[in-house]
Amino acid sequence: MTDKQLIAYLKLLHGTYNTAMMLLFMYQGLLGLRTRRNRMRGRQDFRLIKRHRKLGPILALTGPAGFIAGMIVIYLDKGRIMEYPLHFLTGLSIALLTAATFLISRKIKGPDSPWRTPHLMIGIFILCLYIIQVTLGLGILF
């Protein structure tokens, strides 16, 4: 197996990266909620909309990258990826739901799109899963 000191640093890097991703997802959610609130009030802040639309695809790629990195780190350390099944399944759920949210966002057309509510609900669920995931990860790390 790989050097234990290197693995320890990689685990810490994985946790730090995914905590940063969680914070970015929360920021993205805040942008989306503010955009939604403005739209419901009949106002639109195109700066918010532009920021939300620009950051979304980036997070859709970089979020699941943290999951893949975690799988690689645990495989290098333990020789299998299911060493921490709850943490693995939560990460897998976040990655799949992130992809689903991205695909749904592509179907949103116009202010009355029926895809807006599923996009919102899945986004809230992702944020809840991130909080659980970080808590599980801290339990593994310490």
Side-chain angles (χ1 to χ4, degrees), residues 32-105:
L33 287 174
R34 288 175 62 195
T35 299
R36 183 181 185 91
R37 185 179 63 223
N38 286 341
R39 190 183 67 258
M40 299 283 204
R41 292 179 179 169
R43 298 182 246 150
Q44 289 193 12
D45 184 344
F46 290 106
R47 290 179 333 197
L48 284 177
I49 294 168
K50 187 176 181 179
R51 243 185 278 162
H52 186 71
R53 287 182 181 170
K54 212 175 203 182
L55 185 57
I58 295 168
L59 292 178
L61 290 173
T62 57
F67 170 70
I68 293 166
M71 285 192 324
I72 292 168
V73 169
I74 202 64
Y75 183 77
L76 290 173
D77 186 31
K78 306 291 184 183
R80 58 192 188 110
I81 61 171
M82 291 297 286
E83 183 70 18
Y84 306 103
L86 190 55
H87 189 66
F88 174 81
L89 292 174
T90 306
L92 178 62
S93 298
I94 291 169
L96 293 175
L97 288 171
T98 299
T101 304
F102 174 75
L103 293 173
I104 286 172
S105 74

Side-chain angles (χ1 to χ4, degrees), residues 2 4 6 11 14 16 24 41 51 54 57 62 65 67 69 77 81 87 91-92 95 107 113 118 120 123-124 138:
T2 310
K4 291 294 179 184
L6 176 63
K11 285 181 180 180
H14 166 71
T16 302
L24 286 169
R41 292 179 179 169
R51 243 185 278 162
K54 212 175 203 182
T62 57
F67 170 70
D77 186 31
I81 61 171
H87 189 66
L92 178 62
K107 295 179 182 230
S113 175
L120 169 70
I124 290 170
L138 287 172

Side-chain angles (χ1 to χ4, degrees), residues 6-40:
L6 176 63
I7 294 295
Y9 285 127
L10 290 175
K11 285 181 180 180
L12 189 58
L13 182 63
H14 166 71
T16 302
Y17 176 83
N18 282 313
T19 300
M21 290 308 304
M22 178 187 74
L23 294 173
L24 286 169
F25 268 82
M26 287 182 171
Y27 174 70
Q28 178 73 347
L30 181 65
L31 289 176
L33 287 174
R34 288 175 62 195
T35 299
R36 183 181 185 91
R37 185 179 63 223
N38 286 341
R39 190 183 67 258
M40 299 283 204

